[in-house]
């Protein structure tokens, strides 16, 4: 039950949390038991409405809203006593964009809420120092200036939605402000909007509507295309993509998907084939985009990729505008490669009113409405209200997106190992070949310390961060690493192997193994079929010490080229020469081999990223059998 304490001090990021293992049915049962135990004694119940939002339930009893979290086995209320409001001890919450009523109701029960929409940046800065929490959607820019103006008062920023690109996370972290989001409640709305755009585009609904309203009756002009039996490629098979896939199946479409990191079994379960990027774009009649905007996906749809598409393809984008080169899309529409496009998102929002893309006759547009259904906005509002109140009350938040504060003494000891862990994760994921889907990762810590003397949560979180961040727009930290890994179907198991080394060091070495995947670099695969790399900290710097079965010794800085070659003299010189010719500075080199004259691995650290021609030149050295370029 609700505690009577009035404190809502700085979030205690390291407080323990219980995990939700109950099934949905058990949770509903618990929710009802909770309801019974808290209300049956005195209040006659005239109406009950139970609904599930993510892992929590909301229960309207006699039209009064209560929330219940099965993992907490108690009512989800922050540590705020309503009576203390008279003393001004309730948290103050600023809501700067329209939020669903249910969420506002939850917030108002436990805090002083002020809704102030359409604030200018200056107005937001002048108000913010009076608030413990700020809740925004995508329209409010929460900049460094906002955190500075908050003068340490602001404890939590809640993003009522998925994307947190409008919040300066670095500044939030520096100012000790937690940022939480609501990643699940608008998934269905976005998927439904994708399907709405697909069918509206195929049947020219928007164009025909505009024509009729202009007094015309143009039946032959707006003959559409049917979707049944057509192939749709889902690019990004995550939460939204998989829901679009399900719905497209229901429309009788043949569904294929491309997602280098999605588990194949999740796709198979709904009858979807995971295919390569090239296969997806070259065979589809419709292409629906659901990948995050990352450095890899930025403008991934460009002149080159459009030229490889089937002529007359139709494109839907409810993800992020930046994944498309918009000028290239206009060219592809003009040339007829792309017959039509339906877009909810744009590189710049709002786009300029005279944008050629927006004005194009074959383009259907909506103003970023993917999440805008009443249901999604209510769900998002409750999800964010709970997350913000929980954070104000010091709960460990499952949807936190920025780094928590780490105790300085823990951090100073673990710092080099934290960097090693992230780099090993980052390196391991780059060795996976596309299309395989990572499901199972094992981390082996070799240490002289006893099991109670090493907390691996931070290291595990950093390995998870290294694996997931390059392939998604998720921001991973100690708080959300396990949650995000689980959500992405990634199992991370850990093993400690006690070795005789200095107990002064928390860890002797860390090995990362990825099972059941193909590798871009076959030599990274160990005898038992796993991609395997191992690293240690030497002189305070993370080093790679093993790749597959080959010993190497290179510091993990800058970029790395791994080559497998026939062990013979002159190899270092040849490759060094090619790089030198292109002004690429080699920072280190190391060769590891199985036995003399047989196979060897050469690891080359380079400060600059070599261009494709240089890499191809390295690849064409006759003794080099395979090579891979890795960003650390
Ligand atoms: N229009 C809207 O209002 C609206 C609403 C919700 C979400 N979104 C956007 O939709 C996108 C998807 O959201 P989600 O909740 O499904 O996220 P998600 O993280 O669940 O799914 C994203 C998927 O993309 C995959 N991916 C990463 N890199 C890829 C690549 N290079 N090629 C193909 N796939 C790749 C990831 O493996 C992941 O499975 C995000 O960009 C999100 O911001 C928009
Ligand atoms: O990131 C999101 O959740 C969507 O793009 C929706 O954003 P919105 O809150 O501005 O509707």
């Amino acid at each position: 039950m609700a505690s009577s304490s009035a404190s809502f001090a700085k979030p205690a990021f390291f407080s323990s949390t219980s995990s939700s293992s109950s099934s949905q049915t058990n949770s509903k049962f618990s929710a009802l038991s909770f309801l019974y135990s808290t209300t049956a004694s005195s209040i006659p119940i005239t109406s009950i409405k139970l609904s599930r939002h993510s892992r929590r339930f909301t229960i309207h009893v006699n039209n009064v809203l209560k929330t219940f979290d099965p993992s907490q086995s108690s009512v989800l209320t922050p540590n705020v006593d309503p009576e203390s409001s008279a003393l001004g001890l309730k948290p103050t919450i600023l809501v700067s964009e329209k939020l669903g009523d249910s969420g506002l109701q939850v917030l108002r029960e436990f805090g002083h809420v002020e809704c102030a929409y359409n604030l200018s940046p200056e107005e937001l800065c002048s108000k913010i120092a009076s608030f413990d929490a700020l809740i925004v959607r995508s329209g409010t820019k929460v900049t460094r200036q906002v955190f500075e103006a908050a003068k340490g008062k602001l404890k939590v920023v809640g993003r009522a939605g998925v994307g947190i690109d409008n919040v300066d996370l670095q500044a939030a972290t520096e100012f000790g402000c937690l940022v939480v989001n609501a990643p699940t409640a608008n998934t269905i709305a976005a998927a439904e909007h994708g399907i709405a755009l697909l069918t509206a585009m195929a049947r020219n609904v928007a164009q025909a509507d505009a024509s009729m309203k202009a007094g015309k009756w143009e039946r032959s002009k707006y003959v559409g295309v049917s979707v049944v039996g057509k192939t749709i490629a889902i690019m990004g098979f995550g939460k939204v993509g998989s829901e679009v896939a399900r719905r497209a199946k229901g429309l009788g479409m043949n569904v294929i998907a491309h997602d280098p990191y999605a588990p194949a079994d999740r796709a198979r379960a709904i009858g979807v084939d995971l295919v390569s990027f090239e296969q997806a774009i070259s065979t589809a009649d419709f292409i629906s985009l659901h990948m995050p905007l990352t450095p890899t996906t930025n403008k991934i749809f460009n002149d080159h990729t459009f030229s490889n598409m089937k002529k007359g393809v139709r494109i839907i984008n409810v993800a992020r505008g930046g994944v498309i080169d918009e000028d290239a899309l206009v060219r592809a529409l003009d040339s007829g490669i792309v017959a039509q496009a339906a877009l909810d998102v744009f590189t710049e929002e709002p786009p300029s009113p005279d944008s050629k893309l927006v004005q194009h006759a074959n383009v259907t547009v909506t103003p970023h409405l993917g999440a805008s259904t009443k249901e999604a906005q209510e769900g998002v509002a409750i999800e964010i209200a709970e997350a913000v109140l929980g954070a104000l009350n010091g709960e460990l938040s499952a949807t936190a997106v920025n780094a928590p504060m780490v105790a300085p003494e823990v951090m100073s000891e673990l710092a080099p190992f934290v960097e090693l862990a992230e780099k090993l994760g980052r390196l391991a994921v780059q060795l996976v070949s596309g299309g395989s889907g990572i499901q199972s990762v094992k981390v082996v810590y070799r240490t002289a310390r006893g099991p109670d003397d090493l907390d691996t949560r931070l290291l595990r979180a950093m390995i998870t961060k290294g694996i997931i961040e390059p392939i998604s727009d998720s921001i991973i930290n100690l708080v959300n690493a396990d949650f995000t890994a689980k959500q992405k179907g990634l199992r991370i198991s850990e093993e400690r192997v006690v070795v005789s080394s200095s107990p002064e060091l928390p860890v002797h070495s860390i090995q990362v193994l990825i099972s059941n995947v193909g590798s871009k670099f076959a030599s990274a695969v160990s005898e038992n079929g796993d991609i395997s790399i191992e690293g240690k900290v030497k002189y305070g710097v993370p080093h790679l010490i093993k790749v597959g079965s080959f010993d190497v010794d290179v510091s993990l800085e800058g970029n790395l080229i791994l080559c497998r070659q026939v062990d013979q003299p002159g190899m270092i010189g040849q490759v060094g020469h090619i790089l030198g010719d292109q002004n690429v500075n080699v920072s280190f080199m190391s060769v590891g081999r199985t036995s003399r004259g047989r196979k060897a691995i050469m690891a080359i650290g380079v400060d600059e990223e070599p261009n494709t021609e240089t890499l191809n030149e390295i690849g064409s050295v006759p003794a080099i059998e395979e090579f891979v370029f890795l960003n650390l």
Side-chain angles (χ1 to χ4, degrees):
M1 292 291 295
S3 144
S4 60
S5 159
S7 75
F8 50 94
K10 239 178 191 359
F13 294 109
F14 287 93
S15 65
S16 66
T17 185
S18 49
S19 66
S20 171
S21 55
S22 351
S23 71
Q24 194 166 323
T25 314
N26 283 342
S27 301
K28 269 189 191 155
F29 178 77
S30 316
L32 290 167
S33 310
F34 152 75
L35 176 65
Y36 177 78
S37 66
T38 56
T39 59
S41 53
S42 52
I43 312 163
I45 299 176
T46 52
S47 70
I48 301 176
K49 187 177 149 213
L50 177 66
S51 34
R52 190 167 198 270
H53 305 275
S54 170
R55 69 196 168 106
R56 285 158 182 169
F57 290 90
T58 54
I59 311 165
H60 285 83
V61 185
N62 302 345
N63 290 325
V64 174
L65 182 137
K66 292 169 182 292
T67 56
F68 174 78
D69 179 353
S71 70
Q72 306 292 322
S73 292
S74 68
V75 65
L76 181 84
T77 53
N79 234 358
V80 180
D81 179 356
E83 286 171 30
S84 66
S85 66
L87 301 171
L89 292 174
K90 275 183 164 188
T92 46
I93 302 163
L94 177 63
V95 178
S96 69
E97 287 175 76
K98 181 97 184 71
L99 194 69
D101 287 339
S102 314
L104 285 175
Q105 210 177 326
V106 174
L107 292 171
R108 284 190 179 119
E109 272 187 64
F110 306 109
H112 292 295
V113 179
E114 181 177 334
C115 295
Y117 307 147
N118 304 317
L119 293 174
S120 67
E122 295 72 31
E123 286 166 335
L124 178 59
C125 285
S126 73
K127 282 180 96 61
I128 198 68
S130 324
F131 292 92
D132 297 295
L134 168 66
I135 297 184
V136 301
R137 286 180 60 187
S138 58
T140 307
K141 304 269 175 277
V142 191
T143 58
R144 179 169 290 275
Q145 287 75 17
V146 174
F147 293 105
E148 279 165 1
K151 300 191 170 71
K153 168 88 170 156
L154 189 64
K155 298 171 184 71
V156 190
V157 172
R159 160 63 168 111
V162 186
I164 28 83
D165 36 300
N166 53 323
V167 181
D168 185 336
L169 288 182
Q170 182 59 36
T173 306
E174 283 173 29
F175 283 84
C177 180
L178 184 70
V179 180
V180 290
N181 73 345
T184 57
N186 66 24
T187 298
I188 299 297
E192 287 179 350
H193 197 62
I195 294 292
L197 287 179
L198 162 79
T199 50
M201 171 176 66
R203 301 306 294 270
N204 301 306
V205 172
Q207 291 85 348
D209 176 75
S211 148
M212 261 192 87
K213 285 181 174 141
K216 300 177 191 162
W217 184 254
E218 301 180 295
R219 296 186 65 213
S220 54
K221 183 170 178 188
Y222 295 118
V223 173
V225 291
S226 188
V227 298
V228 70
K230 300 280 166 58
T231 296
I232 183 167
I234 307 289
M235 309 302 284
F237 196 70
K239 294 189 292 293
V240 179
S242 51
E243 290 301 333
V244 169
R246 266 182 231 283
R247 284 157 180 76
K249 284 239 138 204
L251 294 173
M253 300 186 83
N254 168 38
V255 184
I256 56 174
H258 168 70
D259 187 327
Y261 317 108
D265 58 353
R266 215 178 66 208
R268 222 175 8 250
I270 54 173
V272 171
D273 285 332
L274 282 181
V275 299
S276 67
F277 184 89
E278 287 71 27
Q279 197 181 342
I281 62 164
S282 61
T283 52
D285 304 297
F286 291 81
I287 298 178
S288 192
L289 313 187
H290 303 288
M291 67 249 287
L293 179 61
T294 66
T296 317
T297 62
N298 188 22
K299 296 194 177 163
I300 195 168
F301 297 96
N302 49 40
D303 286 315
H304 174 69
T305 42
F306 287 129
S307 71
N308 288 334
M309 290 178 187
K310 202 164 156 178
K311 191 163 166 53
V313 66
R314 289 174 164 79
I315 293 178
I316 303 111
N317 188 8
V318 291
R320 281 293 182 263
V323 302
I324 296 182
D325 175 340
E326 292 176 341
D327 294 336
L329 177 55
V330 172
R331 287 189 284 275
L333 282 156
D334 287 342
S335 71
I337 293 177
V338 175
Q340 288 181 299
L343 311 170
D344 184 46
V345 282
F346 305 88
T347 306
E348 255 181 58
E349 292 185 359
S352 131
D354 56 4
S355 147
K356 279 190 184 159
L357 189 59
V358 173
Q359 297 302 335
H360 203 287
N362 296 340
V363 175
T364 304
V365 284
T366 50
H368 201 147
L369 290 181
S372 296
T373 62
K374 285 183 182 164
E375 295 81 356
Q377 283 311 308
E378 288 300 304
V380 163
I382 289 179
E383 203 177 350
I384 204 62
E386 290 178 348
V388 166
L389 291 172
L392 284 171
N393 192 37
E395 280 179 19
L396 201 65
S397 173
T399 64
V401 288
N402 63 336
M405 286 163 285
V406 177
E409 57 283 6
V410 177
M411 199 57 218
S412 69
E413 184 181 49
L414 281 180
F417 299 91
V418 163
E419 199 189 340
L420 171 68
E422 183 178 350
K423 289 201 162 162
L424 288 174
R426 196 170 269 278
L427 209 131
V429 74
Q430 290 179 70
L431 290 168
V432 175
S433 56
S436 331
I438 305 171
Q439 280 180 292
S440 179
V441 175
K442 184 172 167 188
V443 184
V444 180
Y445 305 98
R446 295 194 167 76
T447 173
R449 290 200 181 168
D452 296 333
D453 208 2
L454 173 67
D455 183 350
T456 59
R457 287 180 316 156
L458 187 51
L459 299 177
R460 187 179 68 234
M462 290 302 118
I463 290 167
T464 309
K465 179 181 171 73
I467 291 174
I468 294 179
E469 280 191 355
I471 59 175
S472 82
D473 58 3
S474 310
I475 309 280
I476 312 291
N477 59 37
L478 177 59
V479 177
N480 65 9
D482 290 344
F483 172 81
T484 313
K486 198 170 161 197
Q487 211 186 30
K488 293 189 178 293
L490 187 67
R491 281 189 309 277
I492 304 198
S493 61
E494 293 175 292
E495 187 185 322
R496 283 159 202 261
V497 174
V498 178
V499 292
S500 55
S501 69
S502 166
E504 293 295 304
L505 289 178
V507 184
H508 170 71
S509 72
I510 302 175
Q511 184 182 9
V512 176
L513 301 113
I514 304 186
S515 313
N516 304 321
V517 288
S519 178
K520 283 179 193 155
F521 189 65
S523 315
V525 178
S526 64
E527 292 93 21
N528 56 6
D530 300 332
I531 290 181
S532 168
I533 52 170
E534 188 173 344
K536 70 189 291 188
V537 172
K538 287 171 79 175
Y539 317 113
V541 179
H543 275 64
L544 182 67
I545 59 166
K546 201 157 192 167
V547 176
S549 338
F550 294 85
D551 291 324
V552 290
D553 186 6
V554 286
S555 73
L556 289 169
E557 294 166 290
N559 306 301
L560 190 64
I561 300 170
L562 291 177
C563 306
R564 185 189 65 209
Q565 70 215 37
V566 178
D567 183 28
Q568 62 181 44
M571 292 303 297
I572 292 183
Q574 274 190 64
V575 176
H577 194 251
I578 295 171
L579 291 167
D581 270 357
Q582 297 300 324
N583 252 344
V584 176
N585 194 40
V586 174
S587 50
F588 48 77
M589 268 195 180
S590 153
V591 178
R593 62 188 180 187
T594 43
S595 61
R596 190 172 175 169
R598 300 194 61 197
K599 305 286 171 211
I601 280 198
M602 179 158 54
I604 308 156
V606 284
D607 292 336
E608 295 83 21
E609 184 167 341
N611 59 26
T612 316
E613 292 77 52
T614 312
L615 290 172
N616 288 342
E617 211 181 318
I618 294 175
S620 65
V621 172
I624 291 182
E625 295 171 339
E626 60 166 344
F627 77 101
V628 65
F629 174 77
L630 305 159
N631 276 118
L632 300 176

